[in-house]
């Protein structure tokens, strides 16, 4: 609240107007505009993580992956206990095919917040891509335990089980995904592949 400060220049955090504008452009998919506003926020409030997080998202959407990495690192520098920052950093490393760094940062995110099913799902996906199917299975199951309606995780688990030649179990996982979301095309496709096998 600006009323708490003797002058606007002493404001320590971005204004609600700035945040609303940024969110509006984000929702509309105007990522060049998001990047521009976020860049100005990082200059005006260099020690506030919001601008850096927004900048990282904009960079990622605009295909500037190395800049995304730098912005995510800045968020962690400002707030080293932010699990979302480690998650975002891990996702960036995954895009860059740096599996070891991605795994380390997913695990840091989990350590700081062990209740985020999406982090377990992404870590499992990383393991799957690296053909570590048992590790993938364990982490998909953790994601599902945290969120029993996570139909994508059931589908992903099915794919991993199929890779392990556990076709009956994979069919059960696909059917569970479909029972949660009857419009989930990937699960129907994967179910068909499993039946064909």
């Amino acid at each position: 609240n600006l009323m708490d400060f003797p002058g606007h220049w002493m404001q320590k955090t971005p204004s609600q107007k700035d945040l609303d504008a940024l969110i509006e452009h984000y929702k509309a998919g105007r990522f060049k505009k998001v990047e521009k506003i976020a860049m100005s926020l990082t200059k005006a409030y260099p020690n506030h993580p919001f601008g850096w997080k927004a900048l990282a998202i904009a960079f990622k959407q605009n295909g500037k992956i190395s800049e995304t990495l730098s912005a995510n690192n800045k968020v962690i520098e400002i707030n080293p206990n932010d699990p979302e920052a480690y998650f975002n950093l891990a996702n960036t490393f995954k895009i860059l095919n740096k599996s070891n760094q991605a795994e380390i940062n997913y695990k840091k995110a989990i350590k700081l917040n062990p209740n985020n099913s999406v982090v377990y799902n992404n870590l499992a996906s990383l393991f799957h891509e690296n053909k570590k199917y048992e590790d993938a299975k364990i982490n998909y199951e953790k994601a599902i335990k945290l969120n029993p309606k996570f139909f994508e995780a059931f589908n992903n688990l099915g794919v991993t089980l199929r890779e392990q030649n556990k076709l009956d179990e994979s069919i059960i996982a696909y059917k569970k995904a479909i029972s949660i979301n009857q419009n989930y095309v990937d699960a129907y496709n994967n179910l068909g592949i499993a039946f064909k096998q």
Side-chain angles (χ1 to χ4, degrees), residues 10 19 21 42 44 48 54 59 63 74 77 96 128 141 146-147 149 161-162 164 169 173 183 185 189:
M10 294 193 64
L19 302 181
T42 61
H48 195 278
F59 281 149
K74 185 67 179 175
E77 183 185 313
L96 293 168
H128 182 96
E141 288 170 344
L146 287 168
N147 179 3
K149 301 264 185 220
L161 291 166
R162 193 177 75 219
Q164 293 179 298
E169 289 178 60
N183 299 315
V185 176
N189 184 57

Side-chain angles (χ1 to χ4, degrees), residues 50-99:
F50 184 85
W52 292 104
K53 281 186 178 185
L55 190 58
I57 290 167
F59 281 149
K60 184 179 175 187
Q61 292 295 329
N62 293 328
K64 299 176 178 179
I65 304 304
S66 61
E67 291 91 337
T68 305
L69 202 60
S70 297
N72 282 326
N73 277 318
K74 185 67 179 175
V75 175
I76 290 169
E77 183 185 313
I78 294 167
N79 186 1
N81 295 315
D82 182 351
E84 183 185 357
Y86 289 101
F87 175 67
N88 292 336
L89 185 60
N91 288 336
T92 306
F93 278 127
K94 191 174 176 203
I95 291 167
L96 293 168
N97 293 316
K98 296 187 175 188
S99 295

Side-chain angles (χ1 to χ4, degrees), residues 141-177:
E141 288 170 344
K142 287 178 181 178
I144 290 164
K145 186 175 181 186
L146 287 168
N147 179 3
K149 301 264 185 220
F150 197 166
F151 58 89
E152 295 99 333
F154 276 107
N155 179 66
N156 295 339
L157 174 61
V159 173
T160 295
L161 291 166
R162 193 177 75 219
E163 295 284 355
Q164 293 179 298
N165 210 29
K166 297 176 181 176
L167 296 176
D168 290 340
E169 289 178 60
S170 76
I171 288 167
I172 292 167
Y174 298 137
K175 285 183 175 180
K176 185 65 180 169

